[in-house]
Amino acid sequence: ANNIKVNYYSDTNCQNYQTSVFPFVNGACYDYDWTGQQSVGIAECNFQVWGCRCHFYAGAGCTGSIDVFKKYRVGSYCTANPGGGYKSMRCSLYADE
């Protein structure tokens, strides 16, 4: 199956694991809020040729400040929003041009 797995962490360095979600992969907004989380990382990306890309938002409904997160290798990226974490995301295939 084509999916993207995003892990949530309670610290700012993607170390203290909390939970995982599987957001939409077509770029549609995916709302998810987990109490106490401060960082996120893409844990799995099954689009092996294309890679995955997620935009993480501080607010629900894909609003607020944004971090763009391009994924090529599992575990190689972590993004943090200290004190607030992320409440929504848009994820999709990433074609490397």
Side-chain angles (χ1 to χ4, degrees):
N2 288 337
N3 59 44
I4 301 171
K5 179 181 179 183
V6 173
N7 286 353
Y8 281 72
Y9 302 87
S10 62
D11 65 322
T12 58
N13 298 308
C14 293
Q15 296 294 319
N16 299 327
Y17 172 81
Q18 289 183 307
T19 190
S20 299
V21 296
F22 293 88
F24 304 120
V25 297
N26 62 356
C29 187
Y30 185 88
D31 283 312
Y32 192 81
D33 188 8
W34 187 267
T35 301
Q37 55 92 6
Q38 296 192 90
S39 62
V40 292
I42 300 176
E44 293 176 12
C45 171
N46 289 351
F47 303 109
Q48 295 182 356
V49 174
W50 298 99
C52 300
R53 174 174 58 185
C54 292
H55 299 245
F56 295 102
Y57 299 84
C62 292
T63 60
S65 61
I66 178 176
D67 271 302
V68 179
F69 195 64
K70 296 175 183 177
K71 178 61 190 172
Y72 298 103
R73 297 178 186 84
V74 169
S76 60
Y77 290 95
C78 173
T79 185
N81 183 26
Y86 299 97
K87 295 179 172 58
S88 57
M89 68 192 84
R90 292 183 189 273
C91 296
S92 61
L93 284 172
Y94 180 70
D96 186 9
E97 300 174 10

